[in-house]
Amino acid sequence: MTNPPPPSLGYSVTVTPSNSDSSTPQPEKNSAPPATMLPGAPRFPPPKLQQDQIPSPFFQNPNLLSPANGVRSPLPHLSTPPGPPVFKSPVRPAAVPFRTSPATPQPIAFSSGSTLPTSSPPHFLNASVELQHQVPLATEDSILVNESSCALFSAHKVLKQKKLTNVPSLGFGALFSPRREIFAGPQILQRDPHRCHNCGAYANLYCKILLGSGQWQCVICQRLNGSEGEYVAPSKEDLRNFPELSSPIVDYVRTGNKRPGFIPVSDSRMSAPVVLVIDDCLDEPHLQHLQSSLHAFVDSLPPTARIGIILYGRTVSVYDFSEESMASADVLPGDKSPIQESLKALIYGTGVYLSPMHASKEVAHKIFSSLRPYKSNIAEALRDRCLGTAVEVALAIIRGPSAEMSRGVVKRNGGNSRIIVCAGGPNTYGPGSVPHSFSHPNYPHLEKTALKWMENLGREAHRNNAVVDILCAGTCPVRIPVLQPLAKASGGVLVLHDDFGEAFGVNLQRASSRASGSHGLLEIRCSDDILITQVVGPGEEAHLDTHETFKNDNALCIQMLSVEETQSFAISMETKGDIKSDCVFFQFTVQYTNVYQADISRVVTVRLPTVDSVSAYLESFQDEVAAILIAKRTLLRAKNHSDAMDMRGTIDERIKDIALKFGSLVPKSKLHRFPKELSALPELLFHLRRGPLLGSIVGHEDERSVLRNLFLNASFDLSLRMVAPRCLMHREGGTFEELPAYDLAMQSDTAVVLDHGTDVFIWLGAELAADEGRSAAALAACRTLAEEITELRFPAPRILAFKEGSSQARYFVSRLIPAHKDPPYEQEARFPQLRSLTAEQRTKLKSSFIHFDDPSFCEWMRSLKVVPPEPS
């Protein structure tokens, strides 16, 4: 197997396995004017957690995530893409080993297994005799694929024929979201799981059980395993009392000896500190917006939250909270990394740099109020900013020791600490910096050096359980390629904003409050028939010494850079040969430490039936999931504008190939019919082709890079909205009607909301806008809807409103399919709402469109010699 190329900046990771089967200046002090434990579950039978029961403080029930996606191959290599917000990066092997925490399950505690007709443990007698009493716990159709599951497959059935299953234009795979909210919540167990001794898979509802001996057969490798008598039961129904044998999603929770003793619920979650690293080189308009956002941010924090404040320009100012009546700052030079003696003088001194909000809220407000705009008459891009040094100092403060203001003791953090950088310009001073001007004769080399330094700093942050989020705003270019590695390698995000106003403030709050687990490890196991060919997501290949290994464990293991609700892994799969069995199995396991310092192992097991019929296979296809998998594979290769243009061509070829392989030839024609079972897929890919991810809607390549990297790591729901916008038309009475995202929705007497993931647009028709009362009511209803549907989204989208005919309306129009170019019968077939319009309204709508060269969806399909599928 070829060695993987050294990975690049670390966020989203693509795993592509082989095809094999198997000095010491003291800081200067400047004064700044006010400027139960619940007992383990009984061994037999463990009770189910009822909906009305209060869950243990050590876990968040619906928000605990499920396993991430991985690749099944001995030594896969990773690839990671480019770009900022919550994103994806190019190929790279794991540099930061997964560190097993004391509470991580140990091999001795688990039972493991392998393939069936193999030898079973010595103390199990008469296994061959008892095979007649082997009971499958889940019947073939008893457990259906759940749309709210953590694992979403592109098809609910698997085709037995290798040749058609592995057609690359369509492909097969899954999206795994470890922290996706589960409707009924996972089953929770506070005990060790039973694991296969051979391959490491977990006992699950699809295992066959020998009732007399309690032995269970692993669904991955078919080996028999013991349960220490726990699964001995008089009937199959009794076994259903075990959560792991009755639910496809189970959370094993272990608190171990990390937090011994009883811990009150109110104090069970130890707030990880949040350190704000703030650009001190802003002009007055930007600074005013930033101050408003910072004041609102502090007011939003709970009393127990701990905060640190650092400013950076040519120097680094670290604010000291030891005096409640005022704030003072210790100042460090920014031209080089802080030396150990300076850091020791800072950290081991009397200053308090991380303080709970209940003791320092007023001081924080005074600090923000005391900020002053940049005084020198120097262009924004030419100002010295030592962002790298400031993050280094923030890391040193988080590492401590740092006295708690209240008792002078150091408390253990829950989850990852957060460093949130508020940046208004590039890093141009000190380590990790680049020259002010691109015309510098040595710029390419200096940029390359800065990239590597920033990546190493991000990895250092990750080793210290600190996530670096970079929130950029303003009109000054921040040099995205240089800052991106810092956020990615630490497990954080980089987000661009127009200014430091509303959207920036919301993201500041959401970045600090989102629950983040640490020490995440994702394992993926599949039946022998399945080969994982690629994984795209926020992780790196885990080294063999960072996780438990079993005798014949072929699981793909991925070290997660962070464990958050906004993530997903896109897993591409193939079959190794024609499948003989009636079903195949997939098991995803994500292990991490949550904010309550409990070790969580979420196990998600999926069984898919296999079929011979191509039609049955296609009918089981989930168009939206398939489209997102295709989009992530495509975007991974679109590292720049030129690549993006090439990828648009690959989408065209993909449509033609799917029609050729799975469609039919139109009689007496050279056109192919697209398979009717996949009727929604072409339109989704058309949105991808012309939208901001691959098209020319977004003006600057930095913006496209940020969006692509956000998309590559984003959850399924956000990914879907980023590809295909959701169009909602306002109706009288404050209700909304969902319509296709066609320009035919731009009717002059209506208001329309268009949710495109990172942007939400509100469009007011000219007739409606002329009626002041109606337009005000419609606008208020639309804005309320926009806020509601994006309430939990991170990054928070921009919400932009404009009237028909305004210059800004082009941002809205360009994201809609130009269906007005199609003949009337086709318009009505795909946009039935048109039938409710009068002839006069239809004429007025038709005359409102401006001609441009972009093809409609139907025109595009026909240009590919493919008949557009009938709308479903």
Side-chain angles (χ1 to χ4, degrees), residues 261-592:
F262 175 77
I263 300 167
V265 173
S266 61
D267 193 39
S268 62
R269 173 173 171 170
M270 286 305 308
S271 295
V274 175
V275 180
L276 296 176
V277 178
I278 302 169
D279 189 340
D280 196 25
C281 301
L282 302 180
D283 291 330
E284 187 164 3
H286 290 316
L287 180 61
Q288 289 177 353
H289 282 131
L290 177 60
Q291 286 174 312
S292 297
S293 295
L294 292 172
H295 285 304
F297 168 73
V298 168
D299 288 336
S300 73
L301 293 175
T304 56
R306 293 183 299 151
I307 188 174
I309 300 174
I310 293 176
L311 263 64
Y312 69 93
R314 284 184 63 87
T315 60
V316 178
S317 301
V318 188
Y319 281 88
D320 180 359
F321 294 95
S322 58
E323 290 290 339
E324 296 187 15
S325 60
M326 64 180 297
S328 61
D330 293 313
V331 179
L332 297 171
D335 60 334
K336 59 181 180 296
S337 296
I339 58 177
Q340 285 301 115
E341 288 78 3
S342 296
L343 291 178
K344 286 182 179 179
L346 189 74
I347 296 169
Y348 290 88
T350 59
V352 175
Y353 306 105
L354 295 175
S355 178
M357 289 311 304
H358 66 78
S360 57
K361 187 172 185 177
E362 292 306 314
V363 177
H365 279 303
K366 291 174 182 176
I367 293 172
F368 298 147
S369 297
S370 69
L371 301 181
R372 295 293 179 263
Y374 191 77
K375 296 178 181 178
S376 301
N377 187 23
I378 300 176
E380 282 186 299
L382 303 181
R383 297 170 188 174
D384 290 334
R385 295 177 172 90
C386 58
L387 186 153
T389 307
V391 173
E392 285 186 294
V393 173
L395 272 176
I397 291 173
I398 289 173
R399 282 193 297 258
S402 175
E404 265 307 305
M405 186 169 179
S406 54
R407 299 186 182 89
V409 297
V410 179
K411 288 188 178 181
R412 188 187 191 97
N413 300 331
N416 283 325
S417 303
R418 288 205 176 273
I419 298 173
I420 303 179
V421 180
C422 305
N427 181 32
T428 54
Y429 191 67
S433 64
V434 290
H436 297 96
S437 173
F438 289 106
S439 61
H440 189 285
N442 205 23
Y443 189 91
H445 171 72
L446 294 175
E447 183 184 51
K448 184 177 180 180
T449 303
L451 287 171
K452 188 63 178 177
W453 190 92
M454 284 294 191
E455 181 184 344
N456 289 336
L457 179 59
R459 293 189 174 278
E460 178 65 19
H462 182 249
R463 282 191 287 270
N464 286 276
N465 295 329
V467 171
V468 182
D469 293 329
I470 305 176
L471 307 184
C472 306
T475 55
C476 179
V478 295
R479 315 281 175 88
I480 294 298
V482 177
L483 297 183
Q484 189 173 287
L486 172 58
K488 283 186 179 182
S490 70
V493 302
L494 190 156
V495 188
L496 290 178
H497 304 83
D498 294 333
D499 53 43
F500 290 95
E502 181 182 3
F504 178 91
V506 171
N507 275 325
L508 187 60
Q509 295 179 28
R510 294 184 186 177
S512 67
S513 62
R514 69 189 195 276
S516 176
S518 58
H519 302 109
L521 182 69
L522 171 65
E523 299 177 341
I524 305 174
R525 296 177 174 86
C526 307
S527 296
D528 284 341
D529 298 307
I530 303 298
L531 174 68
I532 298 177
T533 57
Q534 186 183 61
V535 173
V536 179
E540 298 175 335
E541 177 189 351
H543 294 299
L544 293 178
D545 58 350
T546 63
H547 59 278
E548 300 173 65
T549 55
F550 292 82
K551 187 166 52 179
N552 292 302
D553 189 358
N554 290 323
L556 174 72
C557 297
I558 298 174
Q559 179 186 328
M560 300 175 65
L561 298 175
S562 62
V563 185
E564 300 179 5
E565 298 175 9
T566 55
Q567 302 167 336
S568 75
F569 290 81
I571 310 166
S572 300
M573 307 177 190
E574 292 181 353
T575 55
K576 297 178 181 177
D578 290 346
I579 300 176
K580 307 298 183 184
S581 57
D582 293 331
C583 56
V584 288
F585 296 91
F586 307 85
Q587 191 169 82
F588 307 88
T589 307
V590 60
Q591 302 173 21
Y592 66 98

